[in-house]
Amino acid sequence: MIGERRIVLEPREVPLGGVRGMNVLRVLPHRNLPTIGAWCFLDRFGPADTRMRVEPHPHIGLQTVTWPLVGEIRHRDSLGSDADLRRGQLNLMTAGNGISHSEYSIGDDPIPLDALQFWVVLPESARHGSGGFERHTELPQVTLSADAGEDATGVVVLGEFAGAVSPATVYTPIVGAEISVPAGTRVRLPLRPEWEHALMLVECDATVATHAMPRNEMLYLGDSREFVEVYSAQGALLFLIGGEPFENEIVMWWNFAGRTHDEIVEARADWEAASDRFGVVDGHDIRIPAPPLPDVRLMPRGRKI
Ligand code: MN
């Protein structure tokens, strides 16, 4: 067991660079905490007026979880998927052994855009398999009775929360849920003591386990909790992630999640060679080239929390 924790994970600004040409706020991975359950990555892009053009790029060994807050996003991938996504809907892409995709904002002009993109690392049983894409427009909602104020609500995006189960395909015991807390409400969010959890404050104000959170901060809660208490004065939007602590050490580099340096080198070479492994995303003239590998061998980042 890990035990109860209350550790602040501060986000940092990251330029996506190259043809992506936009700044994002990177919340995960944290240097001391490579995974929370199987969650291994979280970027917030926005809020901003943006003409987003994330050109085709590859993934291995993970699922991408795209959750728009404002604006619409068009997803295309090497399986032939072409899907528009808006607030309240989930895009879930499973990379398996290899997939490629692009993400554009809708239209040719900048639009107000704000979205969360998470990655979930795949276990051994799924990471060598074929890719997949799902869009979910109907997700379960749960009511969380308040100790003071009005009841809070949750949308179960991935896995299981408060007795409801998302229809999205997952490969590890996991939770991802968007939580809305009305103004003046104090509520206990039910947690599984055997899972680790973290909460991100997406909008407004919240005090979580007596810690006052700034917007975009993530608070790591450890495990061993039956619930966590949340209070909001103005009304808050939060995102809860968690799950069974991921057993394997992972090597993450660029858009790849593997177990060894050599796997990453091979995936990079396959992308650069335009191998069938990653297929083709129709309707694009350009693809994002892989950055150069570092001079050192890629190593798993250990857990220091
Ligand atoms: Mn991607």
Side-chain angles (χ1 to χ4, degrees), residues 155-171:
V155 177
V156 187
V157 178
L158 220 61
E160 189 181 346
F161 176 66
V165 180
S166 164
T169 304
V170 291
Y171 297 93

Side-chain angles (χ1 to χ4, degrees), residues 17-265:
V19 285
R20 301 195 200 189
M22 60 189 285
N23 276 7
V24 298
L25 212 54
R26 183 144 305 157
V27 184
L28 296 176
H30 186 269
R31 63 186 180 282
N32 295 328
L33 192 61
T35 50
I36 299 171
W39 299 91
C40 62
F41 178 94
L42 168 56
D43 270 359
R44 179 176 190 168
F45 36 99
D49 285 343
T50 306
R51 179 175 177 269
M52 184 171 75
R53 290 292 181 269
V54 180
E55 302 293 352
H57 60 278
H59 287 286
I60 65 166
L62 54 83
Q63 292 176 292
T64 64
V65 178
T66 309
W67 185 247
L69 301 165
V70 176
E72 291 177 45
I73 297 168
R74 179 182 184 188
H75 162 98
R76 283 172 282 178
D77 64 39
S78 52
L79 304 172
S81 316
D82 186 346
D84 291 350
L85 183 69
R86 58 185 61 85
R87 176 84 180 124
Q89 304 178 343
L90 165 68
N91 266 10
L92 178 67
M93 186 182 77
T94 301
N97 183 54
I99 201 166
S100 56
H101 73 143
S102 69
E103 286 168 303
Y104 279 27
S105 51
I106 299 284
D108 289 327
D109 299 318
I111 60 167
L113 198 67
D114 195 2
L116 303 177
Q117 185 171 86
F118 305 87
W119 296 351
V120 173
V121 65
L122 290 169
E124 207 54 38
S125 59
R127 74 187 189 96
H128 304 291
S130 51
F133 175 76
E134 300 170 13
R135 184 175 65 151
H136 295 279
T137 55
E138 305 275 336
L139 293 166
Q141 305 236 7
V142 293
T143 301
L144 307 162
S145 8
D147 296 321
E150 294 171 45
D151 288 347
T153 53
V155 177
V156 187
V157 178
L158 220 61
E160 189 181 346
F161 176 66
V165 180
S166 164
T169 304
V170 291
Y171 297 93
T172 49
I174 198 165
V175 56
E178 186 187 77
I179 311 288
S180 300
V181 180
T185 287
R186 184 177 304 281
V187 63
R188 281 175 289 183
L189 311 183
L191 305 179
R192 288 176 169 242
E194 68 275 23
W195 288 0
E196 57 181 340
H197 294 89
L199 263 174
M200 177 189 178
L201 179 63
V202 179
E203 292 299 340
C204 298
D205 76 282
T207 300
V208 176
T210 74
H211 168 77
M213 294 183 70
R215 186 164 163 273
N216 290 321
E217 186 179 275
M218 183 165 270
L219 189 67
Y220 177 67
L221 297 165
D223 63 11
S224 308
R225 293 176 188 265
E226 301 274 353
F227 62 87
V228 63
E229 192 176 74
V230 177
Y231 173 76
S232 179
Q234 313 276 319
L237 189 69
L238 300 115
F239 206 99
L240 172 72
I241 62 170
E244 191 175 283
F246 195 75
E247 281 191 12
N248 301 103
E249 289 201 321
I250 59 172
V251 175
M252 270 180 52
W253 180 81
W254 194 39
N255 297 308
F256 303 141
R259 301 292 182 273
T260 65
H261 173 86
D262 293 340
E263 284 179 13
I264 302 293
V265 171

